[in-house]
Amino acid sequence: MHTLPISFMMGEAVGVQSKVVSFDEAGSVGLIHIDNPPVNALNHEVRAGLVELLSQAGKNPRIKVLLVMAAGNMFSAGADLKEFDGLFKVPTLQQVQAAVETAPIPVVAAIQGLALGGGLELAMACHYRVAHKGAKLGLPEITLGIIPGAGGTQRLPRLIGALRALEMILSGSPIGELEAKTKGLVDEVVDGNLREQALAFCERLVRDGAGPRPTCKRATAADGLDESSIAQVLRAHARTLKGRTTPALVIEAIKASTLPFSEGIAIETALAQKSLASRESQALRHIFFAERDSSKLDGISKRAGQPEIKRVAVVGAGTMGSGIAIAFADAGRKVILVDNADAALARSREIIRASYDSSVKRGRIAQEIADERMAGISASITLADVAESDLVIEAVFEDMDLKKEVLSSLDRLVPAERVIATNTSTLSVTELGRATAHPSRVLGMHFFVPAHASKLLEIVRGQDTALEAVATALHVAKLLRKVPVVSGDAFGFIGNRMMLDGYFREADQLLLEGASPLQVDTALEQFGFAMGPQRVSDLGGNDVGTKARLQLYKRESRPDPYFVIADRLTELGRLGQKTGRGFYRYEGGGREALPDSEVITLIERLAAERGIARHQISDDEVVERCVLALINVGAMVLDEGIATRAADIDVVWTSGYGFPRHLGGPMFYADTLGLPHVADRIRYYHERLGHYWRPAELILWLAAENSSFEQRDRQRNSARKTALLSNTRAD
Ligand code: NAD
């Protein structure tokens, strides 16, 4: 068996010199191979190769069946996202599918690993599908704010029924091969050698005299697709689809699948274009690329080698230390947890055991895996036991002197080339690093609660931290499957600074001026935040915020009325859910936040003491002020160089602070509002409310230039590329 470039195979100038699609024969089966690493994206070259081969192979009398396969460990992850910003080059995926469906002989897809988006749409246009054990098939387009636009909304209902198709497209999650077989999405599931098994399937088709079976010729089973079942599917995904516009387009497209195929596909194309042009889709694609780029670091090549991280030491076995230990054990690393209190180690063991028990109970992992991971975490009361570790993370109490002492001991115990990270959320990483003899290897790894499950990891670069140490931390984030963002070392880093100086502070201020906790929370939840600020404070504990602020005031102070309400609640022991009272009341240990008149009385008193006349405030004003305050501080964080890119800030806020992803993060959202408008409104609030509304100079400047944060990022990236190029030339 041989693989030849297309032009050779056909023995004539076929006009395609494709390296990514090739052809060979096995008896009466013609094999079309896609080989476009790393994910077999269906880019223009692949599509052109496929069309050419399909047309040529159909004319070859020796060939009775065509088998489409892909190299590597996945069939295809779909289209090349970069193409979504412009027009798809001809041939489009729809044209490839038309060539498949009109082929005079059966076309079979053999699917291994993932068949996602355009990958599954291609497979669905094939006449038959064979899936390998472990394959996953899905249409995740909704996560990018678009509808499957290459026949997905028309062919999936024809294969599995309209209601199931709706559920699958709205969930965005792939299904496994067995479920796909049960639903009728694949014809056969095979184990062992996929090529051999798929060839056997093809030969059976030939023996049975099976002809082409184009999906487009099938009728959609639409029974059960009524308004109440649609509402039920929407309810099942209410959390992820909150405030989204794409689901309505999906529903319209699925309903159109009962029409003749050509009509349905025309409707799908129009809806797909509408979804692509939507702000929602621009925002979600922005975040998709921002998350990918947030791990890129100026001055560090992608190829730079990274130390192997096999064994990790975590010092301080409290809430954070225990979570961090789980995170590394889940990533298959050995962990040693060190604490100077036996009781803490015992409690930590219980926390970790309870976490794994719950994962097993929820069916997330098997008991043996949980046991194996537990066994990978050892405990010690002796700090010197960290010496063999490839990475050390310090998570002791938030106390500068204590942390300095611990870090300086660690520095003596661990070889100088290894990274030492601190999980501090408020202290100066630079100052902590200088307590060691090797400040260049010290950085912050700011995990969020719960450390094993939260998506964001802020990597804090102190003034002396070496680039290589940051690169190692970025590599560690990848091991942990977290989204990293590099932050400068300043008050609150990126996320907490914006939360404290911008968002939550303004929420506290709005309460003083007349809003209630319920109004503020509801308005912001309506805007799209996962949870309003006061509910968040009550959940995490008002004392946690108060303590963090007290630490931060050692770096910089903040004038009254900075968090006067939240801090007074802490003083009164109203710590939130854990004490049954905070901004709200909680009855019987429950989580339902009930308005509390005592809190309103307290707020009225605090407002009167400051001469603030409370008045009615509209929900629109609540949202505008909280979000603009967030944007304004975000611009300062960017201008001060604490964040490198506006897109990094968007990643921090969408992955760590519940900002609605479909609005693209605060800085992207500011761009969609238009910076001249943002600047006007901030100036207006500055005049009305003073100090905390000082407009960020960057906003004023970008607004005057009629520019945007996105443009600033782009200019910065191209300046960086030019600098890299000229450095390479100079080398
Ligand atoms: P915690 O109080 O739950 O745990 C701290 C642990 O450190 C305790 O078990 C204590 O026995 C141990 N410890 C104290 N001194 C020690 C020493 N000399 N040697 C070894 N162990 C020692 O605290 P936590 O909430 O897990 O916070 C730990 C760190 O993580 C702090 O720096 C905190 O600011 C940071 N952080 C906390 C959160 C949060 O929400 N809890 C979030 C992000 C970061």
Side-chain angles (χ1 to χ4, degrees), residues 316 318-320 339-340 344 395-398 402-403 423 425 447 449:
T319 312
M320 295 309 289
D339 204 289
N340 64 353
V396 302
F397 299 132
E398 190 77 338
L402 172 69
K403 280 195 193 276
N423 182 44
S425 33
F447 289 81
V449 189

Side-chain angles (χ1 to χ4, degrees), residues 122-303:
L122 172 63
M124 288 196 293
C126 293
H127 306 166
Y128 301 87
R129 282 153 296 281
V130 175
H132 198 235
K133 196 165 172 239
K136 289 204 180 308
L137 301 87
L139 294 173
E141 284 83 348
I142 189 126
T143 58
L144 295 172
I146 48 183
I147 73 163
T153 67
Q154 303 304 300
R155 289 193 181 87
L156 188 62
R158 283 175 162 78
L159 290 168
I160 69 170
L163 190 58
R164 285 167 162 180
L166 179 71
E167 152 65 25
M168 194 166 150
I169 295 175
L170 286 183
S171 86
S173 307
I175 57 173
E177 80 287 2
L178 295 177
E179 192 178 342
K181 170 87 169 54
T182 314
K183 288 186 167 160
L185 183 53
V186 301
D187 299 283
E188 194 158 304
V189 171
V190 299
D191 203 353
N193 185 312
L194 177 63
R195 181 189 165 103
E196 282 170 16
Q197 302 278 348
L199 280 173
F201 180 87
C202 292
E203 279 153 13
R204 269 203 308 283
L205 288 181
V206 177
R207 258 201 325 274
D208 297 348
R213 194 186 61 173
T215 310
C216 64
K217 292 268 168 14
R218 296 194 187 188
T220 295
D223 40 310
L225 187 73
D226 50 38
E227 293 313 312
S228 92
S229 51
I230 292 174
Q232 205 176 338
V233 177
L234 286 172
R235 267 199 305 278
H237 300 286
R239 202 175 53 81
T240 48
L241 298 181
K242 181 174 146 191
R244 303 276 309 272
T245 55
T246 329
L249 304 181
V250 172
I251 293 165
E252 207 178 326
I254 293 281
K255 284 182 178 167
S257 73
T258 55
L259 300 172
F261 188 75
S262 59
E263 287 175 37
I265 218 75
I267 292 174
E268 181 197 81
T269 304
L271 292 170
Q273 275 163 2
K274 194 167 164 187
S275 72
L276 255 178
S278 69
R279 274 201 181 165
E280 180 171 309
S281 156
Q282 286 163 13
L284 289 165
R285 282 180 286 145
H286 161 75
I287 281 295
F288 176 87
F289 285 114
E291 286 186 354
R292 211 189 50 175
D293 291 348
S294 72
S295 57
K296 290 183 187 154
L297 184 65
D298 292 2
I300 287 282
S301 129
K302 246 187 177 173
R303 284 183 293 276

Side-chain angles (χ1 to χ4, degrees), residues 641-663:
I642 316 274
T644 314
R645 292 166 281 241
D648 284 352
I649 295 179
D650 289 334
V651 171
V652 167
W653 273 81
T654 50
S655 61
Y657 291 82
F659 191 96
R661 213 177 148 81
H662 67 275
L663 298 180

Side-chain angles (χ1 to χ4, degrees), residues 43-63:
N43 62 9
H44 176 250
E45 199 183 352
V46 172
R47 299 195 301 269
L50 286 171
V51 166
E52 192 67 49
L53 272 179
L54 282 160
S55 109
Q56 298 293 336
K59 293 178 200 148
N60 184 336
R62 286 193 307 276
I63 306 223

Side-chain angles (χ1 to χ4, degrees), residues 235-495:
R235 267 199 305 278
H237 300 286
R239 202 175 53 81
T240 48
L241 298 181
K242 181 174 146 191
R244 303 276 309 272
T245 55
T246 329
L249 304 181
V250 172
I251 293 165
E252 207 178 326
I254 293 281
K255 284 182 178 167
S257 73
T258 55
L259 300 172
F261 188 75
S262 59
E263 287 175 37
I265 218 75
I267 292 174
E268 181 197 81
T269 304
L271 292 170
Q273 275 163 2
K274 194 167 164 187
S275 72
L276 255 178
S278 69
R279 274 201 181 165
E280 180 171 309
S281 156
Q282 286 163 13
L284 289 165
R285 282 180 286 145
H286 161 75
I287 281 295
F288 176 87
F289 285 114
E291 286 186 354
R292 211 189 50 175
D293 291 348
S294 72
S295 57
K296 290 183 187 154
L297 184 65
D298 292 2
I300 287 282
S301 129
K302 246 187 177 173
R303 284 183 293 276
Q306 281 306 323
E308 224 180 326
I309 309 283
K310 284 190 184 159
R311 197 179 153 85
V312 178
V314 181
V315 181
T319 312
M320 295 309 289
S322 306
I324 296 168
I326 297 173
F328 279 101
D330 287 350
R333 268 62 195 177
K334 293 258 171 282
V335 180
I336 175 152
L337 245 177
V338 182
D339 204 289
N340 64 353
D342 274 324
L345 287 172
R347 205 173 45 244
S348 167
R349 190 107 204 123
E350 276 165 32
I351 295 174
I352 296 171
R353 167 59 72 204
S355 168
Y356 280 123
D357 282 351
S358 141
S359 298
V360 171
K361 214 158 127 197
R362 289 177 188 203
R364 290 208 186 119
I365 50 170
Q367 185 66 53
E368 307 84 75
I369 305 226
D371 292 343
E372 200 180 300
R373 291 181 186 171
M374 274 291 288
I377 305 175
S378 55
S380 169
I381 197 134
T382 315
L383 198 61
D385 287 344
V386 303
E388 301 296 307
S389 307
D390 304 307
L391 166 76
V392 184
I393 299 175
E394 167 280 307
V396 302
F397 299 132
E398 190 77 338
D399 177 286
M400 180 57 96
D401 291 337
L402 172 69
K403 280 195 193 276
K404 277 184 175 173
E405 191 190 310
V406 170
L407 286 172
S408 124
S409 307
L410 289 172
D411 186 48
R412 284 192 297 274
L413 290 165
V414 181
E417 71 285 357
R418 300 192 191 156
V419 169
I420 299 181
T422 165
N423 182 44
T424 181
S425 33
T426 58
L427 305 174
S428 159
V429 171
T430 307
E431 194 177 336
L432 288 171
R434 287 180 186 166
T436 73
H438 305 93
S440 64
R441 57 134 143 201
V442 177
L443 47 70
M445 281 180 83
H446 186 207
F447 289 81
F448 292 77
V449 189
H452 62 287
S454 61
K455 196 171 156 192
L456 176 66
L457 180 67
E458 264 185 326
I459 295 171
V460 186
R461 188 173 177 188
Q463 283 171 32
D464 310 306
T465 308
L467 216 49
E468 289 71 19
V470 180
T472 300
L474 287 168
H475 169 67
V476 169
K478 202 169 171 190
L479 297 180
L480 301 179
R481 294 167 180 260
K482 294 200 183 288
V483 184
V485 172
V486 178
S487 168
D489 178 24
F491 182 98
F493 313 135
I494 297 174

Side-chain angles (χ1 to χ4, degrees), residues 473-554:
L474 287 168
H475 169 67
V476 169
K478 202 169 171 190
L479 297 180
L480 301 179
R481 294 167 180 260
K482 294 200 183 288
V483 184
V485 172
V486 178
S487 168
D489 178 24
F491 182 98
F493 313 135
I494 297 174
N496 283 346
R497 159 91 178 274
M498 289 171 67
M499 179 177 85
L500 293 171
D501 283 359
Y503 179 43
F504 276 35
R505 181 203 52 71
E506 193 60 19
D508 213 77
Q509 174 74 28
L510 281 157
L511 298 184
L512 283 178
E513 288 178 31
S516 70
L518 187 64
Q519 185 196 359
V520 171
D521 282 342
T522 311
L524 287 156
E525 284 160 17
Q526 211 67 36
F527 172 77
F529 272 100
M531 203 186 266
Q534 272 91 36
R535 274 194 239 275
V536 170
S537 303
D538 271 2
L539 182 67
N542 288 315
D543 54 324
V544 174
T546 300
K547 269 191 220 146
R549 284 188 287 275
L550 285 176
Q551 290 294 340
L552 281 168
Y553 296 152
K554 293 180 190 164

